[in-house]
Amino acid sequence: MKPGMTSQQWLDVAVVGAGPAGLYAAEALLNQKDVAVRIHLIERLPVPFGLLRYGVAPDHQNIRAVRQNLAPLLVQPDLKFYGNIALGRDISVAELRASVDAVIYAYGAAGDRRLDIPGEALKGCAAATDFVAWYCGNPDACLGNFESALKVTKSVVVIGVGNVAIDVSRILAKSRAGLSHTEMPEHVLEALGNSAVTDIHVIGRRGPAQASFTTKELRELGELADADVFVDANDLQLDPVSAAAVAGNRALARNIDVLREWSQRKPTGKLKRIHLHFFLRPVALSGAESVTAIRFERTRIDDTGNCRGTGEHHQIEAQLVLRSIGFRGKHIEGLPFDVELNRIPNLEGRVLRDGRVACGEYVSGWIRRGPIGVLGTNKLDASESVAALLADAPALLAAKDGARTELDDLVRSRALRRCELPNWHAIDAAEKLLGQSRGRDRTIIHRLESLLEAGGA
Ligand SMILES: Cc1cc2nc3c(=O)[nH]c(=O)nc-3n(C[C@H](O)[C@H](O)[C@H](O)COP(=O)(O)OP(=O)(O)OC[C@H]3O[C@@H](n4cnc5c(N)ncnc54)[C@H](O)[C@@H]3O)c2cc1C
């Protein structure tokens, strides 16, 4: 912003969520020169980066390094970071709307979908997202549960055949040495390194031609130092609908090639085994207090491409069952939400309230599109949402209310333990120091209280 500008000449924009979508939206706003903007970046956790820190697999350091490209945004003079402030908990949508000219909602959709089958409430059945949150050191993750489960779990069932299921299986299959270079909290490394797990079963309800994993991620499972990988050749015989799908899609064809090569492999006696199963629909979990097994019905793909039960059942013993069958967005009071599509209803990034474009409200990332797409997809749709906001800028500037409560005053009046830029820098430095003491770049601080303490908040 140019010196001497009055508040009537700039737009105050709140961006809710400091994950990739929020940061890419902030970047697009800061990179344009047409409208003067002041960005207020509001984040529920004390730290930025969303799933780039708490989702992307810790052993995929090259992808996690995208944070280094986004970090310089946080120190821009026209951006203020408010960590540990949640919309809907600490400030309401109405309060936020009244204190800025425009809001970009980019708060993600990292909730999980349930199986809705008997036994799901048993101990030992959890969302893969909770497991991911735990191994990434997210302060939301329950501490203790997975540590004790891994001590006694020999067999794990991972339900789902997307990249998250692959990540979870790979992390479970790696030894401590294979993970020791990562940012994982020390107690997570220890629990994974000392786990009793020998067998990891990855389950697809439909066939390999319907699985959503990508070849690069799939291939990694076959290259692990400590795990053999198994797939039954019978599961790879393609019905006509699947064969047609594979013939017309090179990525699918590559997946099938990888799986076929694995189906010919002989066990080499590695410590752990990953078994990929297809055509199994979960029916019920059994056990007294904790899961001991999960029952499936075999399925097949019919002539119309639908998945049908065959009436034949199959059981797998397991002490830990992780469901990875998709994500769910969250409804925040005061915002519209489309439960079916799992997102805030919008027209090319402009929020729709009762089917009509809402003035000054935009949406980006998973909560805009529904929980699908990779990091780059968020950059594209953030720039589209920002373009919509900039097109509306003259009207937003004209509607400015000079007498409103500033967002900064509103946040301060709540006496919250907020984490602003210096607090995040202190956390960042503390994590780097902790990592260096163990020969790593960083060790993530897991507990919320410890994060806040490290940040001096
Ligand atoms: C386990 C996993 C692994 C993945 N691995 C990869 C990968 O390897 N490569 C890849 O390209 N993509 C990967 N993805 C996808 C990628 O992470 C997403 O595309 C991306 O994170 C979506 O960005 P987002 O900003 O919409 O959501 P998020 O990353 O979830 O960010 C949303 C942010 O909003 C904050 N927030 C939530 N509620 C509130 C609130 N009420 N108030 C304020 N702030 C709030 C959250 O704390 C979070 O920081 C992975 C996803 C998952 C789940």
Side-chain angles (χ1 to χ4, degrees), residues 17 19-21 43-44 50-51 55 63 87 107-108 327 332 365-366 373-375 378:
E43 167 56 49
R44 187 177 65 86
L51 289 170
I63 305 174
L87 181 66
Y107 62 84
F327 299 92
I332 292 185
W366 273 17
V374 291
L375 294 167
N378 303 301

mmCIF file with all atom_site columns, all heavy atoms in Angstrom, residues 17 19-21 43-44 50-51 55 63 87 107-108 327 332 365-366 373-375 378, ligand 1:
data_model
loop_
_atom_site.group_PDB
_atom_site.id
_atom_site.type_symbol
_atom_site.label_atom_id
_atom_site.label_alt_id
_atom_site.label_comp_id
_atom_site.label_asym_id
_atom_site.label_entity_id
_atom_site.label_seq_id
_atom_site.pdbx_PDB_ins_code
_atom_site.Cartn_x
_atom_site.Cartn_y
_atom_site.Cartn_z
_atom_site.occupancy
_atom_site.B_iso_or_equiv
_atom_site.pdbx_formal_charge
_atom_site.auth_seq_id
_atom_site.auth_comp_id
_atom_site.auth_asym_id
_atom_site.auth_atom_id
_atom_site.pdbx_PDB_model_num
ATOM   1   N N   . GLY A 1 17  ? -8.209  -19.321 6.693  1.00 0.00 ? 17  GLY A N   1
ATOM   2   C CA  . GLY A 1 17  ? -7.492  -20.575 6.432  1.00 0.00 ? 17  GLY A CA  1
ATOM   3   C C   . GLY A 1 17  ? -6.148  -20.276 5.801  1.00 0.00 ? 17  GLY A C   1
ATOM   4   O O   . GLY A 1 17  ? -6.084  -19.672 4.732  1.00 0.00 ? 17  GLY A O   1
ATOM   5   N N   . GLY A 1 19  ? -4.014  -22.516 4.722  1.00 0.00 ? 19  GLY A N   1
ATOM   6   C CA  . GLY A 1 19  ? -3.545  -23.670 3.955  1.00 0.00 ? 19  GLY A CA  1
ATOM   7   C C   . GLY A 1 19  ? -3.157  -23.208 2.557  1.00 0.00 ? 19  GLY A C   1
ATOM   8   O O   . GLY A 1 19  ? -3.132  -21.997 2.270  1.00 0.00 ? 19  GLY A O   1
ATOM   9   N N   . PRO A 1 20  ? -2.878  -24.155 1.660  1.00 0.00 ? 20  PRO A N   1
ATOM   10  C CA  . PRO A 1 20  ? -2.478  -23.778 0.303  1.00 0.00 ? 20  PRO A CA  1
ATOM   11  C C   . PRO A 1 20  ? -3.477  -22.832 -0.361 1.00 0.00 ? 20  PRO A C   1
ATOM   12  O O   . PRO A 1 20  ? -3.063  -21.830 -0.970 1.00 0.00 ? 20  PRO A O   1
ATOM   13  C CB  . PRO A 1 20  ? -2.418  -25.123 -0.435 1.00 0.00 ? 20  PRO A CB  1
ATOM   14  C CG  . PRO A 1 20  ? -2.182  -26.132 0.636  1.00 0.00 ? 20  PRO A CG  1
ATOM   15  C CD  . PRO A 1 20  ? -2.837  -25.613 1.866  1.00 0.00 ? 20  PRO A CD  1
ATOM   16  N N   . ALA A 1 21  ? -4.775  -23.119 -0.250 1.00 0.00 ? 21  ALA A N   1
ATOM   17  C CA  . ALA A 1 21  ? -5.755  -22.289 -0.964 1.00 0.00 ? 21  ALA A CA  1
ATOM   18  C C   . ALA A 1 21  ? -5.741  -20.851 -0.448 1.00 0.00 ? 21  ALA A C   1
ATOM   19  O O   . ALA A 1 21  ? -5.765  -19.894 -1.234 1.00 0.00 ? 21  ALA A O   1
ATOM   20  C CB  . ALA A 1 21  ? -7.154  -22.885 -0.810 1.00 0.00 ? 21  ALA A CB  1
ATOM   21  N N   . GLU A 1 43  ? -6.261  -18.062 10.883 1.00 0.00 ? 43  GLU A N   1
ATOM   22  C CA  . GLU A 1 43  ? -5.988  -19.507 10.882 1.00 0.00 ? 43  GLU A CA  1
ATOM   23  C C   . GLU A 1 43  ? -6.331  -20.096 12.253 1.00 0.00 ? 43  GLU A C   1
ATOM   24  O O   . GLU A 1 43  ? -5.921  -19.575 13.282 1.00 0.00 ? 43  GLU A O   1
ATOM   25  C CB  . GLU A 1 43  ? -4.508  -19.750 10.531 1.00 0.00 ? 43  GLU A CB  1
ATOM   26  C CG  . GLU A 1 43  ? -3.980  -21.143 10.767 1.00 0.00 ? 43  GLU A CG  1
ATOM   27  C CD  . GLU A 1 43  ? -4.766  -22.247 10.041 1.00 0.00 ? 43  GLU A CD  1
ATOM   28  O OE1 . GLU A 1 43  ? -5.017  -22.123 8.841  1.00 0.00 ? 43  GLU A OE1 1
ATOM   29  O OE2 . GLU A 1 43  ? -5.134  -23.244 10.718 1.00 0.00 ? 43  GLU A OE2 1
ATOM   30  N N   . ARG A 1 44  ? -7.068  -21.213 12.205 1.00 0.00 ? 44  ARG A N   1
ATOM   31  C CA  . ARG A 1 44  ? -7.526  -21.871 13.443 1.00 0.00 ? 44  ARG A CA  1
ATOM   32  C C   . ARG A 1 44  ? -6.347  -22.407 14.273 1.00 0.00 ? 44  ARG A C   1
ATOM   33  O O   . ARG A 1 44  ? -6.376  -22.392 15.500 1.00 0.00 ? 44  ARG A O   1
ATOM   34  C CB  . ARG A 1 44  ? -8.421  -23.046 13.019 1.00 0.00 ? 44  ARG A CB  1
ATOM   35  C CG  . ARG A 1 44  ? -9.140  -23.753 14.124 1.00 0.00 ? 44  ARG A CG  1
ATOM   36  C CD  . ARG A 1 44  ? -10.034 -24.816 13.535 1.00 0.00 ? 44  ARG A CD  1
ATOM   37  N NE  . ARG A 1 44  ? -9.272  -25.862 12.885 1.00 0.00 ? 44  ARG A NE  1
ATOM   38  C CZ  . ARG A 1 44  ? -8.762  -26.921 13.502 1.00 0.00 ? 44  ARG A CZ  1
ATOM   39  N NH1 . ARG A 1 44  ? -8.933  -27.067 14.803 1.00 0.00 ? 44  ARG A NH1 1
ATOM   40  N NH2 . ARG A 1 44  ? -8.089  -27.823 12.841 1.00 0.00 ? 44  ARG A NH2 1
ATOM   41  N N   . GLY A 1 50  ? -1.715  -25.470 6.647  1.00 0.00 ? 50  GLY A N   1
ATOM   42  C CA  . GLY A 1 50  ? -2.781  -26.475 6.491  1.00 0.00 ? 50  GLY A CA  1
ATOM   43  C C   . GLY A 1 50  ? -2.226  -27.862 6.227  1.00 0.00 ? 50  GLY A C   1
ATOM   44  O O   . GLY A 1 50  ? -1.296  -28.329 6.905  1.00 0.00 ? 50  GLY A O   1
ATOM   45  N N   . LEU A 1 51  ? -2.792  -28.518 5.204  1.00 0.00 ? 51  LEU A N   1
ATOM   46  C CA  . LEU A 1 51  ? -2.409  -29.906 4.929  1.00 0.00 ? 51  LEU A CA  1
ATOM   47  C C   . LEU A 1 51  ? -1.002  -30.039 4.340  1.00 0.00 ? 51  LEU A C   1
ATOM   48  O O   . LEU A 1 51  ? -0.473  -31.143 4.254  1.00 0.00 ? 51  LEU A O   1
ATOM   49  C CB  . LEU A 1 51  ? -3.425  -30.553 3.974  1.00 0.00 ? 51  LEU A CB  1
ATOM   50  C CG  . LEU A 1 51  ? -4.802  -30.837 4.576  1.00 0.00 ? 51  LEU A CG  1
ATOM   51  C CD1 . LEU A 1 51  ? -5.797  -31.235 3.486  1.00 0.00 ? 51  LEU A CD1 1
ATOM   52  C CD2 . LEU A 1 51  ? -4.735  -31.928 5.634  1.00 0.00 ? 51  LEU A CD2 1
ATOM   53  N N   . GLY A 1 55  ? -0.784  -32.910 6.374  1.00 0.00 ? 55  GLY A N   1
ATOM   54  C CA  . GLY A 1 55  ? -1.424  -33.914 5.520  1.00 0.00 ? 55  GLY A CA  1
ATOM   55  C C   . GLY A 1 55  ? -0.418  -34.562 4.591  1.00 0.00 ? 55  GLY A C   1
ATOM   56  O O   . GLY A 1 55  ? -0.228  -35.783 4.619  1.00 0.00 ? 55  GLY A O   1
ATOM   57  N N   . ILE A 1 63  ? 7.620   -32.419 -1.723 1.00 0.00 ? 63  ILE A N   1
ATOM   58  C CA  . ILE A 1 63  ? 6.298   -31.768 -1.838 1.00 0.00 ? 63  ILE A CA  1
ATOM   59  C C   . ILE A 1 63  ? 6.096   -30.821 -0.653 1.00 0.00 ? 63  ILE A C   1
ATOM   60  O O   . ILE A 1 63  ? 5.634   -29.687 -0.816 1.00 0.00 ? 63  ILE A O   1
ATOM   61  C CB  . ILE A 1 63  ? 5.167   -32.815 -1.914 1.00 0.00 ? 63  ILE A CB  1
ATOM   62  C CG1 . ILE A 1 63  ? 5.442   -33.774 -3.070 1.00 0.00 ? 63  ILE A CG1 1
ATOM   63  C CG2 . ILE A 1 63  ? 3.800   -32.132 -2.086 1.00 0.00 ? 63  ILE A CG2 1
ATOM   64  C CD1 . ILE A 1 63  ? 4.489   -34.932 -3.165 1.00 0.00 ? 63  ILE A CD1 1
ATOM   65  N N   . LEU A 1 87  ? -12.637 -19.113 12.869 1.00 0.00 ? 87  LEU A N   1
ATOM   66  C CA  . LEU A 1 87  ? -13.936 -18.559 12.486 1.00 0.00 ? 87  LEU A CA  1
ATOM   67  C C   . LEU A 1 87  ? -15.009 -19.520 12.988 1.00 0.00 ? 87  LEU A C   1
ATOM   68  O O   . LEU A 1 87  ? -14.886 -20.735 12.843 1.00 0.00 ? 87  LEU A O   1
ATOM   69  C CB  . LEU A 1 87  ? -14.013 -18.442 10.946 1.00 0.00 ? 87  LEU A CB  1
ATOM   70  C CG  . LEU A 1 87  ? -15.317 -17.842 10.418 1.00 0.00 ? 87  LEU A CG  1
ATOM   71  C CD1 . LEU A 1 87  ? -15.474 -16.386 10.824 1.00 0.00 ? 87  LEU A CD1 1
ATOM   72  C CD2 . LEU A 1 87  ? -15.407 -17.966 8.893  1.00 0.00 ? 87  LEU A CD2 1
ATOM   73  N N   . TYR A 1 107 ? -11.100 -22.567 4.189  1.00 0.00 ? 107 TYR A N   1
ATOM   74  C CA  . TYR A 1 107 ? -10.812 -23.325 5.414  1.00 0.00 ? 107 TYR A CA  1
ATOM   75  C C   . TYR A 1 107 ? -10.796 -24.843 5.213  1.00 0.00 ? 107 TYR A C   1
ATOM   76  O O   . TYR A 1 107 ? -10.815 -25.611 6.178  1.00 0.00 ? 107 TYR A O   1
ATOM   77  C CB  . TYR A 1 107 ? -11.745 -22.899 6.559  1.00 0.00 ? 107 TYR A CB  1
ATOM   78  C CG  . TYR A 1 107 ? -13.222 -23.131 6.351  1.00 0.00 ? 107 TYR A CG  1
ATOM   79  C CD1 . TYR A 1 107 ? -13.794 -24.355 6.627  1.00 0.00 ? 107 TYR A CD1 1
ATOM   80  C CD2 . TYR A 1 107 ? -14.043 -22.101 5.911  1.00 0.00 ? 107 TYR A CD2 1
ATOM   81  C CE1 . TYR A 1 107 ? -15.142 -24.577 6.448  1.00 0.00 ? 107 TYR A CE1 1
ATOM   82  C CE2 . TYR A 1 107 ? -15.397 -22.298 5.727  1.00 0.00 ? 107 TYR A CE2 1
ATOM   83  C CZ  . TYR A 1 107 ? -15.943 -23.538 5.998  1.00 0.00 ? 107 TYR A CZ  1
ATOM   84  O OH  . TYR A 1 107 ? -17.287 -23.755 5.819  1.00 0.00 ? 107 TYR A OH  1
ATOM   85  N N   . GLY A 1 108 ? -10.726 -25.292 3.953  1.00 0.00 ? 108 GLY A N   1
ATOM   86  C CA  . GLY A 1 108 ? -10.467 -26.708 3.700  1.00 0.00 ? 108 GLY A CA  1
ATOM   87  C C   . GLY A 1 108 ? -11.660 -27.601 3.999  1.00 0.00 ? 108 GLY A C   1
ATOM   88  O O   . GLY A 1 108 ? -12.773 -27.129 4.276  1.00 0.00 ? 108 GLY A O   1
ATOM   89  N N   . PHE A 1 327 ? -13.254 -37.257 2.112  1.00 0.00 ? 327 PHE A N   1
ATOM   90  C CA  . PHE A 1 327 ? -13.225 -36.181 3.107  1.00 0.00 ? 327 PHE A CA  1
ATOM   91  C C   . PHE A 1 327 ? -14.573 -35.485 3.156  1.00 0.00 ? 327 PHE A C   1
ATOM   92  O O   . PHE A 1 327 ? -15.389 -35.620 2.256  1.00 0.00 ? 327 PHE A O   1
ATOM   93  C CB  . PHE A 1 327 ? -12.131 -35.178 2.737  1.00 0.00 ? 327 PHE A CB  1
ATOM   94  C CG  . PHE A 1 327 ? -10.780 -35.807 2.715  1.00 0.00 ? 327 PHE A CG  1
ATOM   95  C CD1 . PHE A 1 327 ? -10.272 -36.342 1.547  1.00 0.00 ? 327 PHE A CD1 1
ATOM   96  C CD2 . PHE A 1 327 ? -10.034 -35.914 3.860  1.00 0.00 ? 327 PHE A CD2 1
ATOM   97  C CE1 . PHE A 1 327 ? -9.044  -36.948 1.528  1.00 0.00 ? 327 PHE A CE1 1
ATOM   98  C CE2 . PHE A 1 327 ? -8.802  -36.524 3.853  1.00 0.00 ? 327 PHE A CE2 1
ATOM   99  C CZ  . PHE A 1 327 ? -8.299  -37.047 2.680  1.00 0.00 ? 327 PHE A CZ  1
ATOM   100 N N   . ILE A 1 332 ? -19.861 -24.060 8.848  1.00 0.00 ? 332 ILE A N   1
ATOM   101 C CA  . ILE A 1 332 ? -19.633 -23.056 9.895  1.00 0.00 ? 332 ILE A CA  1
ATOM   102 C C   . ILE A 1 332 ? -20.895 -22.207 9.977  1.00 0.00 ? 332 ILE A C   1
ATOM   103 O O   . ILE A 1 332 ? -21.421 -21.759 8.949  1.00 0.00 ? 332 ILE A O   1
ATOM   104 C CB  . ILE A 1 332 ? -18.396 -22.191 9.565  1.00 0.00 ? 332 ILE A CB  1
ATOM   105 C CG1 . ILE A 1 332 ? -17.125 -23.045 9.656  1.00 0.00 ? 332 ILE A CG1 1
ATOM   106 C CG2 . ILE A 1 332 ? -18.307 -20.982 10.505 1.00 0.00 ? 332 ILE A CG2 1
ATOM   107 C CD1 . ILE A 1 332 ? -15.822 -22.289 9.461  1.00 0.00 ? 332 ILE A CD1 1
ATOM   108 N N   . GLY A 1 365 ? -10.210 -23.259 -2.788 1.00 0.00 ? 365 GLY A N   1
ATOM   109 C CA  . GLY A 1 365 ? -9.640  -24.517 -2.290 1.00 0.00 ? 365 GLY A CA  1
ATOM   110 C C   . GLY A 1 365 ? -10.681 -25.605 -2.114 1.00 0.00 ? 365 GLY A C   1
ATOM   111 O O   . GLY A 1 365 ? -11.720 -25.608 -2.767 1.00 0.00 ? 365 GLY A O   1
ATOM   112 N N   . TRP A 1 366 ? -10.392 -26.539 -1.207 1.00 0.00 ? 366 TRP A N   1
ATOM   113 C CA  . TRP A 1 366 ? -11.263 -27.709 -1.028 1.00 0.00 ? 366 TRP A CA  1
ATOM   114 C C   . TRP A 1 366 ? -12.677 -27.306 -0.630 1.00 0.00 ? 366 TRP A C   1
ATOM   115 O O   . TRP A 1 366 ? -13.625 -27.968 -1.000 1.00 0.00 ? 366 TRP A O   1
ATOM   116 C CB  . TRP A 1 366 ? -10.644 -28.644 0.023  1.00 0.00 ? 366 TRP A CB  1
ATOM   117 C CG  . TRP A 1 366 ? -9.671  -29.622 -0.578 1.00 0.00 ? 366 TRP A CG  1
ATOM   118 C CD1 . TRP A 1 366 ? -9.084  -29.520 -1.813 1.00 0.00 ? 366 TRP A CD1 1
ATOM   119 C CD2 . TRP A 1 366 ? -9.204  -30.839 0.001  1.00 0.00 ? 366 TRP A CD2 1
ATOM   120 N NE1 . TRP A 1 366 ? -8.277  -30.603 -2.023 1.00 0.00 ? 366 TRP A NE1 1
ATOM   121 C CE2 . TRP A 1 366 ? -8.316  -31.431 -0.944 1.00 0.00 ? 366 TRP A CE2 1
ATOM   122 C CE3 . TRP A 1 366 ? -9.427  -31.482 1.208  1.00 0.00 ? 366 TRP A CE3 1
ATOM   123 C CZ2 . TRP A 1 366 ? -7.669  -32.646 -0.697 1.00 0.00 ? 366 TRP A CZ2 1
ATOM   124 C CZ3 . TRP A 1 366 ? -8.772  -32.691 1.457  1.00 0.00 ? 366 TRP A CZ3 1
ATOM   125 C CH2 . TRP A 1 366 ? -7.908  -33.264 0.525  1.00 0.00 ? 366 TRP A CH2 1
ATOM   126 N N   . GLY A 1 373 ? -8.535  -32.794 -5.527 1.00 0.00 ? 373 GLY A N   1
ATOM   127 C CA  . GLY A 1 373 ? -7.534  -31.986 -6.233 1.00 0.00 ? 373 GLY A CA  1
ATOM   128 C C   . GLY A 1 373 ? -6.257  -31.844 -5.437 1.00 0.00 ? 373 GLY A C   1
ATOM   129 O O   . GLY A 1 373 ? -6.241  -31.953 -4.208 1.00 0.00 ? 373 GLY A O   1
ATOM   130 N N   . VAL A 1 374 ? -5.191  -31.624 -6.180 1.00 0.00 ? 374 VAL A N   1
ATOM   131 C CA  . VAL A 1 374 ? -3.854  -31.528 -5.582 1.00 0.00 ? 374 VAL A CA  1
ATOM   132 C C   . VAL A 1 374 ? -3.497  -30.061 -5.347 1.00 0.00 ? 374 VAL A C   1
ATOM   133 O O   . VAL A 1 374 ? -4.300  -29.161 -5.605 1.00 0.00 ? 374 VAL A O   1
ATOM   134 C CB  . VAL A 1 374 ? -2.807  -32.226 -6.473 1.00 0.00 ? 374 VAL A CB  1
ATOM   135 C CG1 . VAL A 1 374 ? -3.020  -33.725 -6.480 1.00 0.00 ? 374 VAL A CG1 1
ATOM   136 C CG2 . VAL A 1 374 ? -2.848  -31.676 -7.889 1.00 0.00 ? 374 VAL A CG2 1
ATOM   137 N N   . LEU A 1 375 ? -2.280  -29.853 -4.864 1.00 0.00 ? 375 LEU A N   1
ATOM   138 C CA  . LEU A 1 375 ? -1.880  -28.498 -4.460 1.00 0.00 ? 375 LEU A CA  1
ATOM   139 C C   . LEU A 1 375 ? -2.064  -27.484 -5.589 1.00 0.00 ? 375 LEU A C   1
ATOM   140 O O   . LEU A 1 375 ? -2.641  -26.415 -5.393 1.00 0.00 ? 375 LEU A O   1
ATOM   141 C CB  . LEU A 1 375 ? -0.419  -28.515 -4.018 1.00 0.00 ? 375 LEU A CB  1
ATOM   142 C CG  . LEU A 1 375 ? -0.168  -29.333 -2.758 1.00 0.00 ? 375 LEU A CG  1
ATOM   143 C CD1 . LEU A 1 375 ? 1.311   -29.580 -2.562 1.00 0.00 ? 375 LEU A CD1 1
ATOM   144 C CD2 . LEU A 1 375 ? -0.757  -28.614 -1.564 1.00 0.00 ? 375 LEU A CD2 1
ATOM   145 N N   . ASN A 1 378 ? -5.387  -25.801 -6.294 1.00 0.00 ? 378 ASN A N   1
ATOM   146 C CA  . ASN A 1 378 ? -5.790  -24.697 -5.403 1.00 0.00 ? 378 ASN A CA  1
ATOM   147 C C   . ASN A 1 378 ? -5.264  -23.359 -5.905 1.00 0.00 ? 378 ASN A C   1
ATOM   148 O O   . ASN A 1 378 ? -5.884  -22.322 -5.692 1.00 0.00 ? 378 ASN A O   1
ATOM   149 C CB  . ASN A 1 378 ? -5.277  -24.941 -3.987 1.00 0.00 ? 378 ASN A CB  1
ATOM   150 C CG  . ASN A 1 378 ? -5.778  -26.258 -3.450 1.00 0.00 ? 378 ASN A CG  1
ATOM   151 O OD1 . ASN A 1 378 ? -6.975  -26.464 -3.359 1.00 0.00 ? 378 ASN A OD1 1
ATOM   152 N ND2 . ASN A 1 378 ? -4.870  -27.159 -3.134 1.00 0.00 ? 378 ASN A ND2 1
HETATM 153 C C1  . LIG B 2 .   ? -3.350  -36.886 3.757  1.00 0.00 ? 1   LIG B C1  1
HETATM 154 C C2  . LIG B 2 .   ? -3.245  -35.974 2.558  1.00 0.00 ? 1   LIG B C2  1
HETATM 155 C C3  . LIG B 2 .   ? -2.124  -36.029 1.766  1.00 0.00 ? 1   LIG B C3  1
HETATM 156 C C4  . LIG B 2 .   ? -2.018  -35.182 0.640  1.00 0.00 ? 1   LIG B C4  1
HETATM 157 N N1  . LIG B 2 .   ? -0.907  -35.265 -0.131 1.00 0.00 ? 1   LIG B N1  1
HETATM 158 C C5  . LIG B 2 .   ? -0.800  -34.470 -1.224 1.00 0.00 ? 1   LIG B C5  1
HETATM 159 C C6  . LIG B 2 .   ? 0.369   -34.550 -2.037 1.00 0.00 ? 1   LIG B C6  1
HETATM 160 O O1  . LIG B 2 .   ? 1.285   -35.336 -1.779 1.00 0.00 ? 1   LIG B O1  1
HETATM 161 N N2  . LIG B 2 .   ? 0.428   -33.725 -3.131 1.00 0.00 ? 1   LIG B N2  1
HETATM 162 C C7  . LIG B 2 .   ? -0.582  -32.845 -3.440 1.00 0.00 ? 1   LIG B C7  1
HETATM 163 O O2  . LIG B 2 .   ? -0.474  -32.116 -4.443 1.00 0.00 ? 1   LIG B O2  1
HETATM 164 N N3  . LIG B 2 .   ? -1.697  -32.756 -2.671 1.00 0.00 ? 1   LIG B N3  1
HETATM 165 C C8  . LIG B 2 .   ? -1.823  -33.552 -1.579 1.00 0.00 ? 1   LIG B C8  1
HETATM 166 N N4  . LIG B 2 .   ? -2.951  -33.482 -0.808 1.00 0.00 ? 1   LIG B N4  1
HETATM 167 C C9  . LIG B 2 .   ? -4.008  -32.518 -1.174 1.00 0.00 ? 1   LIG B C9  1
HETATM 168 C C10 . LIG B 2 .   ? -3.682  -31.107 -0.648 1.00 0.00 ? 1   LIG B C10 1
HETATM 169 O O3  . LIG B 2 .   ? -3.243  -31.204 0.679  1.00 0.00 ? 1   LIG B O3  1
HETATM 170 C C11 . LIG B 2 .   ? -4.936  -30.230 -0.786 1.00 0.00 ? 1   LIG B C11 1
HETATM 171 O O4  . LIG B 2 .   ? -5.177  -30.028 -2.176 1.00 0.00 ? 1   LIG B O4  1
HETATM 172 C C12 . LIG B 2 .   ? -4.787  -28.872 -0.121 1.00 0.00 ? 1   LIG B C12 1
HETATM 173 O O5  . LIG B 2 .   ? -4.239  -28.943 1.170  1.00 0.00 ? 1   LIG B O5  1
HETATM 174 C C13 . LIG B 2 .   ? -6.160  -28.182 -0.013 1.00 0.00 ? 1   LIG B C13 1
HETATM 175 O O6  . LIG B 2 .   ? -5.910  -26.874 0.420  1.00 0.00 ? 1   LIG B O6  1
HETATM 176 P P1  . LIG B 2 .   ? -6.943  -26.023 1.290  1.00 0.00 ? 1   LIG B P1  1
HETATM 177 O O7  . LIG B 2 .   ? -6.218  -24.768 1.632  1.00 0.00 ? 1   LIG B O7  1
HETATM 178 O O8  . LIG B 2 .   ? -8.233  -25.962 0.575  1.00 0.00 ? 1   LIG B O8  1
HETATM 179 O O9  . LIG B 2 .   ? -7.194  -26.888 2.601  1.00 0.00 ? 1   LIG B O9  1
HETATM 180 P P2  . LIG B 2 .   ? -6.250  -27.160 3.870  1.00 0.00 ? 1   LIG B P2  1
HETATM 181 O O10 . LIG B 2 .   ? -4.893  -27.535 3.455  1.00 0.00 ? 1   LIG B O10 1
HETATM 182 O O11 . LIG B 2 .   ? -7.011  -28.127 4.707  1.00 0.00 ? 1   LIG B O11 1
HETATM 183 O O12 . LIG B 2 .   ? -6.169  -25.755 4.604  1.00 0.00 ? 1   LIG B O12 1
HETATM 184 C C14 . LIG B 2 .   ? -7.261  -25.203 5.279  1.00 0.00 ? 1   LIG B C14 1
HETATM 185 C C15 . LIG B 2 .   ? -6.772  -24.379 6.458  1.00 0.00 ? 1   LIG B C15 1
HETATM 186 O O13 . LIG B 2 .   ? -7.906  -23.743 7.081  1.00 0.00 ? 1   LIG B O13 1
HETATM 187 C C16 . LIG B 2 .   ? -7.779  -23.853 8.492  1.00 0.00 ? 1   LIG B C16 1
HETATM 188 N N5  . LIG B 2 .   ? -9.118  -23.778 9.105  1.00 0.00 ? 1   LIG B N5  1
HETATM 189 C C17 . LIG B 2 .   ? -10.045 -24.759 9.191  1.00 0.00 ? 1   LIG B C17 1
HETATM 190 N N6  . LIG B 2 .   ? -11.142 -24.327 9.834  1.00 0.00 ? 1   LIG B N6  1
HETATM 191 C C18 . LIG B 2 .   ? -10.921 -23.033 10.144 1.00 0.00 ? 1   LIG B C18 1
HETATM 192 C C19 . LIG B 2 .   ? -11.666 -22.033 10.839 1.00 0.00 ? 1   LIG B C19 1
HETATM 193 N N7  . LIG B 2 .   ? -12.900 -22.312 11.316 1.00 0.00 ? 1   LIG B N7  1
HETATM 194 N N8  . LIG B 2 .   ? -11.128 -20.812 11.033 1.00 0.00 ? 1   LIG B N8  1
HETATM 195 C C20 . LIG B 2 .   ? -9.870  -20.535 10.543 1.00 0.00 ? 1   LIG B C20 1
HETATM 196 N N9  . LIG B 2 .   ? -9.111  -21.440 9.891  1.00 0.00 ? 1   LIG B N9  1
HETATM 197 C C21 . LIG B 2 .   ? -9.627  -22.672 9.689  1.00 0.00 ? 1   LIG B C21 1
HETATM 198 C C22 . LIG B 2 .   ? -7.104  -25.204 8.691  1.00 0.00 ? 1   LIG B C22 1
HETATM 199 O O14 . LIG B 2 .   ? -6.484  -25.301 9.977  1.00 0.00 ? 1   LIG B O14 1
HETATM 200 C C23 . LIG B 2 .   ? -6.100  -25.211 7.535  1.00 0.00 ? 1   LIG B C23 1
HETATM 201 O O15 . LIG B 2 .   ? -4.873  -24.614 7.915  1.00 0.00 ? 1   LIG B O15 1
HETATM 202 C C24 . LIG B 2 .   ? -3.080  -34.293 0.324  1.00 0.00 ? 1   LIG B C24 1
HETATM 203 C C25 . LIG B 2 .   ? -4.214  -34.249 1.132  1.00 0.00 ? 1   LIG B C25 1
HETATM 204 C C26 . LIG B 2 .   ? -4.296  -35.082 2.246  1.00 0.00 ? 1   LIG B C26 1
HETATM 205 C C27 . LIG B 2 .   ? -5.516  -35.028 3.114  1.00 0.00 ? 1   LIG B C27 1
#
